[in-house]
Amino acid sequence: FDLMCRLSYDKYMRRILLFIFTFFFAFSLFVNSANAQVYTTDKLITVDIGRQMIYAWQDGHIVNQSPVSTGMYYTPTVKGDFKIYRKYDLQNMKGNYPPYEPYFLKNVPNVMYYYQAYAIHGAYWHNSFGSKYTHGCVNEPVAFSKWLYDWAPVGTRVMVF
């Protein structure tokens, strides 16, 4: 009798584990952040570091998009959920982040800060959009940066992933 109970218990546990495994496997098929749809009635900016793309969303639809350049290996772009907290039409920028060379850039256009010193802004000094090229900021073509700057007010949500 003891052996029968043990066999029934093992069979029961195998079924439970199989159910749990099947549930999580099926759930993982439907939840994929790269394919997730965005549902919002507010304005939203998403930065997809893997694809090196920026998307402007309104009413749950992409209204504009552009290739971007994000942070290099030693100066990655911060990931997370933020809000634009300060904007400048033009701003001088400088930095020193070894092992990269120090830089000083005059009149960087359409600067939108979303976390500490991390910003989305136009880049006139390179055309390497679609690849990692920056010291952590999100660089975009100047024409697109002007459009995005005019479209997104302070307080606009920014998701970087």
Side-chain angles (χ1 to χ4, degrees):
F1 178 78
D2 208 20
L3 181 60
M4 287 294 285
C5 287
R6 174 101 173 115
L7 290 174
S8 296
Y9 179 76
D10 287 348
K11 189 175 180 180
Y12 175 75
M13 288 306 293
R14 272 191 239 119
R15 285 185 179 170
I16 293 289
L17 290 173
L18 180 62
F19 173 79
I20 291 170
F21 174 79
T22 304
F23 174 79
F24 282 109
F25 177 77
F27 183 75
S28 70
L29 292 176
F30 295 105
V31 179
N32 182 343
S33 63
N35 296 328
Q37 292 182 341
V38 175
Y39 297 100
T40 181
T41 57
D42 298 326
K43 290 182 176 183
L44 167 68
I45 297 169
T46 59
V47 178
D48 185 334
I49 293 173
R51 289 189 172 98
Q52 293 291 292
M53 288 292 292
I54 191 167
Y55 303 94
W57 297 78
Q58 190 165 4
D59 298 325
H61 301 286
I62 296 171
V63 294
N64 209 342
Q65 63 185 333
S66 175
V68 294
S69 292
T70 61
M72 297 179 286
Y73 183 79
Y74 291 108
T75 54
T77 300
V78 65
K79 295 178 182 178
D81 199 345
F82 313 97
K83 288 189 177 186
I84 294 170
Y85 70 87
R86 188 171 295 136
K87 292 172 63 170
Y88 296 102
D89 293 340
L90 293 172
Q91 186 182 36
N92 295 337
M93 292 186 171
K94 64 179 180 175
N96 186 8
Y97 302 99
Y100 308 118
E101 292 292 318
Y103 64 92
F104 178 78
L105 298 165
K106 292 186 69 67
N107 298 320
V108 176
N110 309 311
V111 181
M112 298 187 292
Y113 285 96
Y114 62 90
Y115 177 73
Q116 296 179 357
Y118 291 88
I120 300 168
H121 59 76
Y124 58 80
W125 57 92
H126 75 83
N127 195 25
S128 296
F129 306 108
S131 62
K132 295 183 178 187
Y133 189 83
T134 78
H135 295 92
C137 286
V138 178
N139 286 190
E140 53 194 358
V142 174
F144 181 82
S145 75
K146 173 66 172 144
W147 181 90
L148 192 65
Y149 185 87
D150 291 342
W151 177 83
V154 169
T156 299
R157 185 175 171 198
V158 176
M159 291 176 54
V160 183
F161 56 94

